C-alpha cells in the first residue's frame, strides 16, 4: 500500500494524484511526475506552494520526507510559456507516457535554434583544467593521477581565485557545465528568462488594474550579483580602431558614441571563455556636446549591418566617451569614474546597455525562449587613476535586461549610481524588487529597490588592445584614411570629393589596400549617387579574405569603370579651376546636375547636393 497520496495541480491538466513513499528520492519522484503529466525535461518546476515558494529540486540524496511532504499535500507545477504549449500538445497527441529517460539531460528538449559559432565550438570542448604532476605532493608514477594533479572542472572556484589576475566571474559555458555537472546532469535545470509582466490570457479576473491572481502575477525579484558573464574579454585588434574613434573628441572636445563591429571567438585565458574582437567602430547619427550624447534615427542601420555581415563582422557592443581634458601639454584627462565617490556606469547608461543587450540577445538552445542573456558589450572610454585614457568593459545582468525590457527600471534625477524600480499603477503592474546587503554588524539585510545601487546589475569585463596587432582592414596601417561617417559638423565629410582625394593616395597596384577601409566600404555600399550597390559583394569578399584576384574582378566591372570616369571628370574640372581655365564655365545660367538633378549656381563646378562634377 502506498504510504502517501499526493495531489499535483497543473495549470494545463488540472489536478492528478500520485502514490509515493516518504523514503522515495526527489529525483525518482520528479521523474514520475514528469511521466504522469507528459512533460519534457525542461521548462517546468514543482513547488510546495502556489506562489512559487519552496521549490522542489531534483536530488538523489534527499527524500520526500526531507521536504516535509505529507499524505494529502497539494504540489504545484509552473511552466514557462513555451513549455506550457508543448505540454498541452503532448497531452493531446499522446495515448501513453512519452520516453523520459534522464540520459539526455538539458539537451533533450531544446528549441530549434542556430547558435553562434563560438557557442557550438565551446560546447564540443572538453573544458577541463589540466594540471602537471606536482613533484612535491604527487606520490605516483608519471602516468598516474591523484588529488593534486587530476584535471579540474572549468568552474573550480579555488583555481579561478588563484589565477593572476583572479577570475571573478565564470564564463557562461563554465556556468552551464556547473549546472549540468551534478548526478542528475542538469535534468531539471531551466534557463528561463525572467519576466516582470503579467502573464496574458488569464480568464479568472478582469484585466489589470481590475485584478490579478497567482497564476498570472509575476513573482517578486531578488537581485543577485550575477556569477557568470557571457563575454570574458574585449579586445581591439589594433590601436587605429580606437584612435579613429577618439579623434572626434580630440577635434571637437565633444563626447562620442559608436557601435563596435567584430566577431566573437574562443578566449583561452578563461576556461571555456569568449572574447569579443573589435575590428571597426561605426558612428551612427548623433548630436553631441561636451557632456551629452543624443542619438538620432539612422536610416542606414540595416544596410550597415548587412554590409558588415558580408565581411564576416557583426555588432558586438557599443562604446562611448566620458572624457574631459586635464592638462593639454601632458595629454592627461580627468578621472570621473571608478573611485569611492563616483560610479562605474550610471543608471541611465545601464538602461541603454540593457536596451542594446535586449536587441542583440544570445541564441541558446537550452532556453525555452530560444535565447538567454546577451553577448553585446559596453565599453566606456574615461580617465583612470593616473589620468590616462582608459577603456573599461561591462555588461548588465540578465535580471537588469528583464527589468528594462519590461519597463520597470528608471534612473534617478540627481544621483547617477542609483536607479529606481517603478511602483505599480493603473497602467502597469510592477513586481516587488529587492536587493540584499550587510549592516554594520555583518547581518544580511533585505531592501526594497527604491532606490537601487546599480552595482548589483553590473558585470565587469577586461578591455584592452591586442599584443600582436591584427588588421582586418589594411588601411588602418596608413597614417591617413577615409573620413568617418556622420562627422560633417567637424569638417569631415563623406562625399565624392573625399573619395577622389582618398584614392589619389594609392597606386593602382594598391587597390585592395585602398578599399580595405571599413568606413569607405560602408560609404560605397550605402551611397545612392554611386552605381555600386549591386557589385559590392565582390569587393566585400575581396576585403574579407584579402583576395587580390577578387579585387581585380571588382575593378573590371562596368560599375567601377563608371566611378573611375566620374573621378576623372572631377579631377579635370578641379584642375581647370586651379589653373584659371574655367572662366567660360564660371559665368552663364544655372545648371542641372546630371547625377541627382539638383539645380546649381553658375559659379559651382561640383554639385552642391551630391558633390559630383559638372559635366
Amino acid at each position: 500500500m502506498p504510504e502517501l497520496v499526493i495531489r499535483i495541480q497543473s495549470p494545463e491538466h488540472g489536478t492528478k494524484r500520485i502514490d509515493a513513499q516518504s523514503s522515495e528520492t526527489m529525483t525518482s519522484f520528479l521523474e514520475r511526475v514528469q511521466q504522469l503529466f507528459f512533460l519534457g525535461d525542461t521548462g517546468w518546476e514543482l513547488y510546495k506552494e502556489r506562489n512559487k515558494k519552496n521549490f522542489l529540486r531534483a536530488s538523489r540524496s534527499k527524500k520526500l520526507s526531507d521536504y516535509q511532504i505529507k499524505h494529502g499535500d497539494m504540489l504545484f507545477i509552473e511552466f514557462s510559456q513555451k513549455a506550457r504549449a508543448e505540454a498541452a500538445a503532448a497531452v493531446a497527441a499522446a495515448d501513453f507516457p512519452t520516453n523520459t529517460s534522464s540520459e539526455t539531460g538539458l539537451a533533450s528538449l531544446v528549441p530549434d535554434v542556430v547558435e553562434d559559432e563560438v557557442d557550438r565550438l565551446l560546447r564540443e570542448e572538453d573544458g577541463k583544467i589540466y594540471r602537471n604532476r606536482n613533484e612535491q605532493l604527487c606520490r605516483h608514477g608519471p602516468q598516474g593521477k591523484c588529488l593534486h594533479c587530476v584535471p579540474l572542472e572549468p568552474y573550480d572556484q579555488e583555481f579561478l581565485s588563484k589565477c593572476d589576475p583572479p577570475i571573478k566571474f565564470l564564463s557562461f559555458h563554465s556556468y552551464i557545465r556547473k549546472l549540468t555537472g551534478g548526478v542528475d546532469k542538469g535534468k531539471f535545470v531551466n534557463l528561463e528568462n525572467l519576466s516582470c509582466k503579467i502573464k496574458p490570457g488569464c480568464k479568472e479576473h478582469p484585466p489589470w488594474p481590475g485584478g490579478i491572481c497567482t497564476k498570472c502575477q509575476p513573482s517578486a525579484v531578488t537581485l543577485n550579483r550575477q556569477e557568470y558573464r557571457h563575454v570574458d574579454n574585449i579586445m581591439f585588434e589594433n590601436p587605429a580602431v580606437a584612435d579613429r574613434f577618439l579623434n572626434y573628441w580630440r577635434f571637437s572636445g565633444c563626447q562620442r558614441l559608436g557601435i563596435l563591429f567584430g566577431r566573437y571567438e574562443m578566449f583561452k585565458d578563461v576556461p571555456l571563455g569568449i572574447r569579443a574582437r573589435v575590428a571597426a567602430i561605426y558612428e551612427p547619427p548623433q548630436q553631441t556636446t561636451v557632456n551629452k550624447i543624443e542619438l538620432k534615427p539612422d536610416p542606414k542601420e540595416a544596410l550597415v549591418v548587412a554590409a558588415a555581415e558580408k565581411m564576416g563582422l557583426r555588432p558586438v557592443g557599443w562604446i562611448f566617451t566620458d572624457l574631459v581634458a586635464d592638462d593639454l601639454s601632458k595629454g592627461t584627462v580627468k578621472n570621473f569614474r571608478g573611485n569611492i565617490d563616483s560610479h562605474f556606469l550610471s543608471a541611465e547608461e545601464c538602461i541603454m546597455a540593457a536596451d542594446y543587450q535586449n536587441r542583440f540577445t544570445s541564441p541558446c538552445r537550452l532556453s525555452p525562449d530560444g535565447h538567454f542573456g546577451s553577448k553585446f558589450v559596453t565599453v566606456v572610454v574615461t580617465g583612470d587613476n593616473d589620468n590616462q585614457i582608459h577603456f573599461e568593459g561591462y555588461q548588465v545582468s540578465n535580471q537588469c535586461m528583464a527589468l528594462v525590457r519590461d519597463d520597470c527600471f528608471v534612473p534617478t534625477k540627481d544621483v547617477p549610481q542609483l536607479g529606481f524600480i517603478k511602483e505599480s499603477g493603473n497602467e502597469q503592474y510592477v513586481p516587488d524588487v529587492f536587493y540584499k546587503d550587510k549592516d554594520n554588524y555583518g547581518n544580511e539585510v533585505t531592501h526594497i529597490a527604491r532606490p537601487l545601487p546599480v552595482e548589483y546589475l553590473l558585470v565587469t569585463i577586461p578591455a584592452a588592445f591586442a599584443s600582436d596587432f591584427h588588421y582586418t582592414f589594411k588601411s588602418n596601417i596608413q597614417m591617413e584614411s577615409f573620413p568617418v561617417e556622420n562627422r560633417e559638423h567637424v569638417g569631415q565629410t563623406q562625399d565624392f570629393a573625399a573619395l577622389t582625394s582618398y584614392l589619389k593616395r594609392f597606386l593602382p597596384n594598391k587597390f585592395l589596400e585602398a578599399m580595405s577601409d571599413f568606413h569607405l566600404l560602408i560609404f560605397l555600399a550605402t551611397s545612392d549617387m554611386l552605381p555600386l550597390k549591386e557589385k559590392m559583394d565582390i569587393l566585400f569578399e575581396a576585403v574579407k579574405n584579402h583576395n587580390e584576384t577578387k579585387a581585380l574582378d571588382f575593378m573590371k566591372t562596368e560599375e567601377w569603370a563608371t566611378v573611375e570616369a566620374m573621378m576623372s571628370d572631377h579631377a579635370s574640372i578641379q584642375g581647370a579651376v586651379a589653373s584659371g581655365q574655367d572662366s567660360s564655365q564660371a559665368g552663364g545660367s544655372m545648371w542641372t546636375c546630371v547625377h541627382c538633378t539638383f539645380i546649381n549656381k553658375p559659379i559651382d563646378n561640383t554639385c552642391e547636393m551630391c558633390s559630383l562634377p559638372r559635366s
Side-chain angles (χ1 to χ4, degrees):
M1 293 290 293
E3 183 181 346
L4 306 176
V5 176
I6 300 170
R7 297 171 296 158
I8 301 177
Q9 188 178 88
S10 161
E12 298 295 337
H13 319 110
T15 302
K16 296 185 180 182
R17 300 186 181 190
I18 187 170
D19 298 336
Q21 302 289 333
S22 60
S23 60
E24 184 175 3
T25 66
M26 289 305 303
T27 295
S28 172
F29 178 72
L30 288 171
E31 286 178 348
R32 295 201 298 117
V33 171
Q34 182 184 30
Q35 294 176 357
L36 180 65
F37 287 90
F38 310 112
L39 303 173
D41 285 346
T42 60
W44 63 277
E45 295 172 336
L46 193 64
Y47 294 88
K48 283 192 68 177
E49 298 177 29
R50 190 187 299 275
N51 59 356
K52 287 189 176 182
K53 290 187 177 179
N54 293 327
F55 170 58
L56 299 176
R57 188 180 302 278
S59 172
R60 298 190 186 279
S61 60
K62 289 195 174 184
K63 303 176 175 58
L64 292 180
S65 57
D66 295 326
Y67 284 88
Q68 288 80 48
I69 296 176
K70 304 182 294 297
H71 177 72
D73 278 359
M74 175 84 81
L75 307 180
F76 304 91
I77 295 176
E78 286 291 333
F79 291 94
S80 68
Q81 188 171 359
K82 181 177 179 66
R84 190 188 302 270
E86 290 175 343
V91 171
D95 294 325
F96 52 86
T98 57
N99 180 12
T100 56
S101 170
S102 62
E103 295 177 355
T104 52
L106 263 175
S108 64
L109 179 63
V110 296
D112 185 15
V113 174
V114 179
E115 292 183 312
D116 293 336
E117 182 182 10
V118 67
D119 292 316
R120 297 195 296 269
L121 293 173
L122 286 171
R123 196 169 64 244
E124 297 170 0
E125 287 285 304
D126 173 76
K128 296 290 181 68
I129 302 169
Y130 289 91
R131 301 182 290 175
N132 296 325
R133 185 177 185 273
N134 190 313
E135 297 299 333
Q136 294 180 332
L137 299 176
C138 295
R139 297 290 183 264
H140 51 75
Q143 303 302 318
K145 291 291 182 184
C146 70
L147 180 65
H148 305 292
C149 62
V150 69
L152 301 174
E153 295 293 344
Y155 47 84
D156 187 276
Q157 203 62 51
E158 183 178 358
F159 171 84
L160 298 177
S161 64
K162 291 181 179 179
C163 291
D164 185 21
I167 300 173
K168 299 180 180 179
F169 298 90
L170 296 179
S171 68
F172 179 66
H173 283 267
S174 293
Y175 174 69
I176 293 297
R177 300 291 173 92
K178 181 179 180 180
L179 293 181
T180 59
V183 176
D184 61 2
K185 300 300 180 184
K187 181 180 177 68
F188 298 103
V189 173
N190 184 22
L191 294 182
E192 187 168 358
N193 294 288
L194 173 67
S195 175
C196 302
K197 289 185 175 181
I198 296 174
K199 296 178 182 178
C202 187
K203 306 296 184 182
E204 297 185 6
H205 54 78
W208 179 264
I212 196 169
C213 68
T214 56
K215 290 183 180 180
C216 62
Q217 179 181 5
S219 300
V221 179
T222 299
L223 296 175
N224 300 303
R225 287 184 171 90
Q226 193 164 283
E227 65 174 306
Y228 61 89
R229 56 190 175 195
H230 294 271
V231 171
D232 304 281
N233 183 264
I234 304 167
M235 185 187 76
F236 295 84
E237 61 179 27
N238 61 73
V241 173
D243 276 341
R244 291 178 75 175
F245 176 71
L246 292 178
N247 281 341
Y248 179 89
W249 173 76
R250 295 180 180 125
F251 293 148
S252 67
C254 297
Q255 308 306 328
R256 196 64 170 167
L257 182 150
I259 304 299
L260 305 174
F261 278 86
R263 56 186 67 86
Y264 298 114
E265 58 190 18
M266 295 168 63
F267 181 55
K268 297 296 185 181
D269 291 355
V270 172
L272 298 178
I274 293 176
R275 175 166 61 193
R277 174 191 286 266
V278 180
I281 302 176
Y282 170 76
E283 299 178 17
Q286 55 197 284
Q287 183 175 336
T288 64
T289 66
V290 294
N291 55 17
K292 183 180 179 181
I293 301 172
E294 181 182 353
L295 282 180
K296 302 293 184 182
D298 186 2
K300 296 182 179 180
E301 180 181 5
L303 293 174
V304 172
V305 173
E309 185 176 354
K310 291 174 182 177
M311 292 181 277
L313 305 176
R314 60 188 294 182
V316 297
W318 68 298
I319 183 172
F320 67 94
T321 60
D322 184 14
L323 294 168
V324 174
D326 181 40
D327 188 329
L328 293 177
S329 63
K330 296 179 181 178
T332 55
V333 294
K334 294 183 179 180
N335 176 17
F336 289 113
R337 297 172 183 255
N339 58 60
I340 193 170
D341 298 320
S342 185
H343 59 282
F344 296 103
L345 284 186
S346 69
E348 193 170 12
E349 291 159 358
C350 286
I351 291 171
M352 191 159 185
D355 275 333
Y356 274 124
Q357 289 179 208
N358 282 316
R359 284 182 57 192
F360 298 94
T361 55
S362 185
C364 181
R365 60 197 293 271
L366 303 181
S367 169
D369 301 318
H371 61 85
F372 188 74
S374 172
K375 298 186 187 74
F376 203 82
V377 300
T378 297
V379 178
V380 187
V381 188
T382 187
D384 63 10
N385 292 332
D386 297 322
N387 298 106
Q388 300 298 311
I389 291 178
H390 177 63
F391 292 74
E392 299 174 353
Y394 300 97
Q395 282 192 308
V396 295
S397 67
N398 291 12
Q399 288 181 322
C400 181
M401 289 173 61
L403 292 172
V404 172
R405 182 197 63 227
D406 295 337
D407 195 25
C408 300
F409 184 52
V410 294
T412 54
K413 184 176 181 180
D414 300 319
V415 187
Q417 64 266 35
L418 296 178
F420 199 86
I421 299 299
K422 296 165 63 175
E423 298 189 47
S424 297
N426 290 338
E427 300 298 323
Q428 180 186 5
Y429 175 85
V430 179
D432 288 331
V433 179
F434 304 94
Y435 69 94
K436 297 179 180 180
D437 65 3
K438 293 186 177 181
D439 61 18
N440 295 333
Y441 302 98
N443 300 316
E444 193 171 67
V445 181
T446 300
H447 304 275
I448 189 78
R450 302 186 183 104
L452 166 66
V454 298
E455 62 188 79
Y456 283 84
L457 310 174
L458 289 179
V459 176
T460 58
I461 307 173
F465 293 89
S467 56
D468 183 16
F469 299 157
H470 177 79
Y471 292 89
T472 297
F473 299 101
K474 298 296 185 183
S475 69
N476 281 337
I477 303 172
Q478 305 296 321
M479 293 298 293
E480 297 184 27
S481 50
F482 191 71
V484 177
E485 59 281 337
N486 299 310
R487 290 189 179 182
E488 293 81 3
H489 55 288
V490 292
Q492 300 181 28
T493 304
Q494 288 188 344
D495 57 17
F496 192 79
L499 174 64
T500 303
S501 174
Y502 171 76
L503 292 179
K504 278 182 179 179
R505 299 198 291 267
F506 294 88
L507 296 173
N509 64 343
K510 296 292 184 179
F511 179 77
L512 178 57
E513 185 176 313
M515 290 291 107
S516 186
D517 184 296
F518 179 81
H519 304 281
L520 169 65
L521 292 166
I522 294 300
F523 169 69
L524 297 178
T526 60
S527 176
D528 292 326
M529 67 182 181
L530 299 176
L532 295 176
K533 290 184 178 181
E534 300 300 322
K535 297 295 181 181
M536 285 300 297
D537 285 1
I538 303 174
L539 188 55
F540 289 147
E541 185 178 350
V543 172
K544 176 183 177 181
N545 300 314
H546 305 300
N547 190 321
E548 295 278 0
T549 302
K550 281 290 181 181
L552 185 61
D553 291 342
F554 179 79
M555 289 182 67
K556 293 178 180 178
T557 62
E558 181 179 342
E559 288 79 2
W560 183 249
T562 301
V563 173
E564 287 186 322
M566 293 163 62
M567 288 191 293
S568 178
D569 291 343
H570 183 270
S572 298
I573 292 175
Q574 293 301 314
V577 170
S579 60
Q581 297 175 1
D582 61 327
S583 57
S584 62
Q585 294 183 357
S589 59
M590 305 286 283
W591 59 275
T592 302
C593 176
V594 298
H595 306 288
C596 70
T597 70
F598 184 77
I599 300 176
N600 293 272
K601 299 176 183 178
I603 60 172
D604 291 336
N605 292 292
T606 58
C607 177
E608 184 180 344
M609 178 62 65
C610 68
S611 300
L612 291 176
R614 177 178 182 176
S615 56

